Amino acid sequence: MDFPTYIALYNYVVSKSYPRDATESLKATIRGKAKKFLASKGQLFEIRWGEDECAYYGRQLLHEGTMDAAIIKVHNEGHLGENNTWSKVHLQFLVYDRSGSYLTKWPIALAVKEITAEITAKFIQDEIVAVYGAPSPSDH
């Protein structure tokens, strides 16, 4: 993730503030993404919900300034090959590549009693588009 986007998310999570001159569209994107994160000591973490329905810190969200050090740290923990290193990175950190698309390739799922077009559309909007943004041709 690029650093300005990271800072915009962090500032919204901490103080509900937006970047100067932010459009309504950008504000909506920031709000959608920010609802998935907790902030601590200048860093963002995924929200993980416990069985007690309390929010806990999950994986750290990396930005362009922290990504290389995190990858090197995981690599130095054991030389397990490229694929295994990436798997370990994704277990410990939430990673965007330098173009801004998700690298996790992890599925996002929701348990429902029955599947309908309305439930599917709401899930895509609330859990994918609002959080990660709409896909662009460069994401393919």
Side-chain angles (χ1 to χ4, degrees):
M1 169 177 286
D2 66 274
F3 191 65
T5 301
Y6 187 93
I7 292 299
L9 286 173
Y10 182 84
N11 287 337
Y12 186 80
V13 170
V14 170
S15 63
K16 302 290 187 248
S17 63
Y18 298 103
R20 195 174 319 151
D21 301 325
T23 64
E24 289 305 314
S25 175
L26 178 58
K27 289 178 181 180
T29 299
I30 291 169
R31 283 191 306 273
K33 290 182 179 182
K35 71 181 180 179
K36 298 291 185 178
F37 298 104
L38 295 170
S40 177
K41 299 178 183 175
Q43 298 175 340
L44 289 172
F45 297 85
E46 273 185 304
I47 295 175
R48 292 288 186 189
W49 293 98
E51 291 179 14
D52 57 2
E53 298 184 13
C54 290
Y56 294 94
Y57 292 94
R59 296 177 294 168
Q60 178 185 349
L61 176 63
L62 299 179
H63 57 75
E64 61 192 4
T66 57
M67 189 179 306
D68 290 343
I71 294 167
I72 289 168
K73 174 189 171 288
V74 170
H75 177 264
N76 289 340
E77 290 172 357
H79 300 275
L80 305 172
E82 185 177 345
N83 290 336
N84 289 332
T85 297
W86 273 114
S87 294
K88 285 183 69 177
V89 167
H90 293 297
L91 287 173
Q92 296 178 31
F93 302 100
L94 189 56
V95 181
Y96 280 89
D97 70 11
R98 298 198 194 284
S99 69
S101 62
Y102 258 83
L103 288 174
T104 61
K105 310 257 192 270
W106 288 27
I108 301 169
L110 177 71
V112 295
K113 285 185 179 181
E114 64 178 310
I115 191 72
T116 66
E118 292 80 17
I119 290 172
T120 302
K122 183 171 176 17
F123 171 77
I124 291 170
Q125 175 57 43
D126 294 350
E127 300 299 326
I128 299 173
V129 175
V131 176
Y132 306 108
S136 68
S138 65
D139 290 337
H140 302 301

